[in-house]
Amino acid sequence: MTCNILVGGAWGDEGKGKCITYLCDNDKPNIIARAGVGPNAGHSVEFNGEKYGLRLTPSGFVHRDAKLLIGAGVLVDPEVFFHELDYLNKYDVRSRSFMDYRCSMIAPEHKERDQASDHLFKKIGSTGTGCGPANSDRVMRTAKMAQDLPELEDYITDVPLEVNEAIDNGEDVFIEGSQGFGLSLYYGTYPFVTSKDTTASTFAADVGVGPTKIDDVIIVFKSYITRVGEGPFPSEMPQEQAEELGIEEYGTVTGRRRRVGLFDMDLAKEACMINGATQIALTCVDRLFPNCERTQDYSSLSGETKAFIDEIEKETGVPVTIISTGPDLKDTIDLRKELL
């Protein structure tokens, strides 16, 4: 029995989708539960040569035997939910996707309020997906719940009950967080943050799991950092430098160009501390160190790459157990057996 949580270590876009897909395809958990804010966060998944952009469905959907759950703390846009059921039809997600009956709903008026707000949409850099106004209604106790919408009747369940029964029965549960630590409403670069906390503790609460039942917290860092939208970015580099390094990126949900910066060790240390990280997954190593592209053997990594990884482990006190060297699942170095 294991119950593990995966979190982002910066401002999102750390490569969580690839890590989640790898871990779920490899470890075969019985339940994959989505935590986080809602459809404002996109996860990119590449599997068997095909690419998928997801906003609500857990990225571990490629493991066909897993039940896919959305926790009560996650905002649900019914349009997005039903679109992804159709979009991922070949993986039979419709028969195994359920949300907690207490999930708050995002209505069209929430998106309108979001996009009409000069403060949220223009100053803060909101994605315009309605999450802030929907969470505001939740706080004001006026939100509609999943149980209030007849069209969702076949897709609602008691997520904490299902997850805790699975754990108690010796089954494996994987909790998938979204966005990143730097966007936490409490610990991020306020006010340039999202509309709730985005740490492991809250992700556990999102799906109704107590802290004593969590085995591992896997925090994902990209070998460099990117950020969509406004807000402080101490290690940011000019876009021209990012272009020279070949690390231009665009957001999964918004399509906006991501700001790019060097790895921020101070941010990484704080993220590991507050999330209680027990493992680090390091992504896009191949983009920072092209000579390591698609390497699947740690001994084949360059000395420069190994020194970079050693420094991260030394400064954070957390082992780097997963190293991604390319977009495909097989482009992964898994050191968990050796290090844990």
Side-chain angles (χ1 to χ4, degrees):
M1 177 278 290
T2 60
C3 182
N4 297 335
I5 299 178
L6 183 138
V7 303
W11 291 291
D13 309 315
E14 301 95 350
K16 294 184 296 297
K18 156 75 186 284
C19 293
I20 294 161
T21 307
Y22 171 79
L23 291 166
C24 291
D25 183 59
N26 186 79
D27 298 354
K28 306 283 192 273
N30 303 89
I31 289 177
I32 306 167
R34 174 72 147 74
V37 179
N40 57 337
H43 287 173
S44 298
V45 172
E46 187 167 328
F47 187 70
N48 288 341
E50 296 182 310
K51 296 181 180 180
Y52 303 92
L54 308 176
R55 295 169 58 192
L56 278 174
T57 304
S59 299
F61 71 89
V62 298
H63 170 35
R64 295 173 182 264
D65 294 328
K67 182 173 279 191
L68 308 173
L69 303 180
I70 300 174
V74 181
L75 297 165
V76 172
D77 182 334
E79 279 186 32
V80 174
F81 178 73
F82 284 114
H83 164 72
E84 292 187 353
L85 293 186
D86 292 335
Y87 177 51
L88 301 172
N89 184 55
K90 68 183 287 184
Y91 288 93
D92 190 31
V93 298
R94 188 178 296 273
S95 69
R96 52 196 182 99
S97 294
F98 301 90
M99 68 186 72
D100 192 86
Y101 66 92
R102 292 157 288 207
C103 285
S104 287
M105 296 293 101
I106 295 177
E109 61 104 0
H110 291 130
K111 289 178 271 192
E112 292 166 7
R113 281 162 53 191
D114 197 350
Q115 295 169 24
S117 169
D118 285 344
H119 177 69
L120 285 178
F121 197 55
K122 294 181 180 177
K123 179 184 177 183
I124 303 300
S126 161
T127 60
T129 51
C131 291
N135 267 332
S136 174
D137 282 1
R138 181 74 180 241
V139 172
M140 296 302 292
R141 287 73 148 182
T142 59
K144 282 192 174 181
M145 305 288 178
Q147 63 184 356
D148 300 325
L149 274 62
E151 63 266 35
L152 293 175
E153 183 180 1
D154 294 336
Y155 302 98
I156 61 174
T157 188
D158 186 328
V159 168
L161 182 63
E162 291 211 30
V163 169
N164 281 280
E165 283 187 345
I167 294 170
D168 292 343
N169 290 332
E171 297 180 354
D172 295 327
V173 173
F174 188 88
I175 299 173
E176 171 183 328
S178 64
Q179 294 186 292
F181 167 74
L183 293 171
S184 164
L185 183 62
Y186 301 147
Y187 305 109
T189 50
Y190 189 89
F192 300 99
V193 293
T194 194
S195 55
K196 65 180 278 190
D197 181 40
T198 51
T199 64
S201 300
T202 293
F203 292 153
D206 282 346
V207 300
V209 177
T212 57
K213 292 190 175 181
I214 304 302
D215 295 288
D216 275 299
V217 175
I218 304 161
I219 193 164
V220 184
F221 294 119
K222 194 153 53 181
S223 297
Y224 51 94
I225 296 184
T226 55
R227 178 168 195 168
V228 168
E230 303 302 318
F233 193 168
S235 66
E236 184 173 12
M237 66 177 68
Q239 289 288 0
E240 295 77 19
Q241 185 180 350
E243 290 173 10
E244 289 174 8
L245 293 172
I247 48 179
E248 290 179 82
E249 291 190 13
Y250 296 86
T252 303
V253 174
T254 63
R256 289 182 293 185
R257 185 171 179 171
R258 295 172 181 161
R259 299 156 63 192
V260 180
L262 300 172
F263 190 88
D264 188 330
M265 196 64 75
D266 289 335
L267 177 63
K269 288 161 66 175
E270 185 180 33
C272 285
M273 176 184 72
I274 292 178
N275 283 283
T278 61
Q279 299 180 46
I280 290 172
L282 188 63
T283 67
C284 295
V285 171
D286 54 300
R287 301 197 65 188
L288 193 63
F289 305 101
N291 56 353
C292 296
E293 186 174 8
R294 300 194 179 278
T295 299
Q296 299 168 32
D297 182 358
Y298 181 80
S299 64
S300 299
L301 293 176
S302 68
E304 184 184 18
T305 310
K306 290 178 181 178
F308 178 59
I309 293 169
D310 289 344
E311 183 184 8
I312 292 172
E313 292 183 325
K314 178 182 177 182
E315 292 291 331
T316 63
V318 181
V320 175
T321 58
I322 302 289
I323 303 166
S324 175
T325 60
D328 198 276
L329 291 198
K330 69 177 184 294
D331 304 326
T332 304
I333 300 171
D334 189 341
L335 301 173
R336 289 178 295 171
K337 289 181 180 178
E338 290 89 339
L339 298 178
L340 299 179

